[in-house]
Amino acid sequence: SAVISQKPSRDICQRGTSLTIQCQVDSQVTMMFWYRQQPGQSLTLIATANQGSEATYESGFVIDKFPISRPNLTFSTLTVSNMSPEDSSIYLCSLSSGGNEQFFGPGTRLTVL
Amino acid sequence: EDQVTQSPEALRLQEGESSSLNCSYTVSGLRGLFWYRQDPGKGPEFLFTLYSAGEEKEKERLKATLTKKESFLHITAPKPEDSATYLCAVQGSSNTGKLIFGQGTTLQVKP
């Protein structure tokens, strides 16, 4: 199965700043996704990262707040913009390699002060 | 609206004490039901996919079953290393790839 890495693994940021999270896969994959896991909560899909086109966002998430790039079939970034303490979460990328199941990266733990 | 509810929220077992975790779901056209294991500070680890009622999958001490309204994750003779949060998710036919997750069951197995 594909190896998924995320950078950074964790970060502490100040209110009002932005953080870009990278997701790298060691093989080409069709579909990549970004999820958020707030403290004590389960995972919620932010958006589907589409290669060569704009991301598809879920209800409650907007491009201005969470811009996503997918320049090729092995890499994607998620930016958390103008952060507030409510953005403190674990951010996870996942991929689907052809079947319906998804495989997740190790996550990025973000704390906003 | 697609929805997943897991119970119990937390479960404490003695080593060797078998039990089951429940995942109840409502979904428009089930494309798949998924079980994941999540250890603290890590991303979810894929365990099983179930596609249709009556289907069963096994892996070591874990067995997942599926009916039209719920899924069970049976844990037989658990060991302390089985301690983790177990997540259930569904994918409906109206969504492209989107997984709807339950809140999870946190399992603690004491030696």
Side-chain angles (χ1 to χ4, degrees):
Chain A
S1 61
V3 176
I4 309 168
S5 60
Q6 286 186 232
K7 290 182 181 179
S9 59
R10 59 178 61 224
D11 207 342
I12 300 174
C13 300
Q14 295 298 317
R15 180 196 299 260
T17 62
S18 299
L19 177 71
T20 296
I21 302 167
Q22 299 179 4
C23 180
Q24 179 75 54
V25 187
D26 69 346
S27 59
Q28 294 185 344
V29 296
T30 305
M31 302 186 77
M32 293 180 73
F33 307 87
W34 286 98
Y35 287 81
R36 180 175 73 180
Q37 188 172 27
Q38 294 178 300
Q41 304 295 315
S42 195
L43 284 76
T44 301
L45 180 65
I46 297 172
T48 301
N50 303 308
Q51 195 269 330
S53 64
E54 282 194 0
T56 303
Y57 289 84
E58 295 297 311
S59 175
F61 298 96
V62 296
I63 188 171
D64 290 346
K65 177 67 176 177
F66 298 102
I68 288 171
S69 76
R70 178 90 191 271
N72 56 53
L73 293 176
T74 64
F75 186 78
S76 179
T77 67
L78 168 74
T79 298
V80 186
S81 302
N82 188 25
M83 289 184 285
S84 67
E86 293 70 35
D87 294 319
S88 297
S89 296
I90 299 173
Y91 292 86
L92 296 142
C93 68
S94 73
L95 61 88
S96 176
S97 58
N100 291 338
E101 56 270 1
Q102 291 179 21
F103 301 92
F104 286 83
T108 295
R109 182 180 295 272
L110 171 62
T111 302
V112 184
L113 302 178
Chain B
E1 180 181 349
D2 299 344
Q3 191 169 359
V4 177
T5 303
Q6 292 186 246
S7 61
E9 290 186 10
L11 181 63
R12 291 183 180 180
L13 300 174
Q14 289 297 128
E15 184 172 2
E17 180 186 1
S18 301
S19 188
S20 296
L21 313 182
N22 177 264
C23 171
S24 298
Y25 65 92
T26 55
V27 66
S28 303
L30 182 70
R31 294 185 65 192
L33 183 141
F34 309 90
W35 283 98
Y36 289 86
R37 168 188 172 131
Q38 186 174 28
D39 293 297
K42 296 188 176 181
E45 173 190 350
F46 171 75
L47 294 174
F48 303 111
T49 305
L50 301 168
Y51 292 105
S52 57
E55 190 175 1
E56 299 181 351
K57 294 276 181 72
E58 285 189 66
K59 180 180 179 181
E60 295 181 354
R61 295 176 293 281
L62 301 178
K63 179 180 178 180
T65 62
L66 181 64
T67 72
K68 289 186 177 180
K69 293 185 177 181
E70 56 191 351
S71 176
F72 292 94
L73 184 66
H74 307 278
I75 303 176
T76 302
K79 298 181 178 181
E81 53 262 42
D82 294 322
S83 299
T85 296
Y86 290 86
L87 299 170
C88 172
V90 297
Q91 188 177 95
S93 61
S94 60
N95 300 303
T96 304
K98 176 180 180 179
L99 296 182
I100 306 293
F101 280 86
Q103 294 293 96
T105 295
T106 300
L107 172 66
Q108 183 180 26
V109 182
K110 295 187 174 181

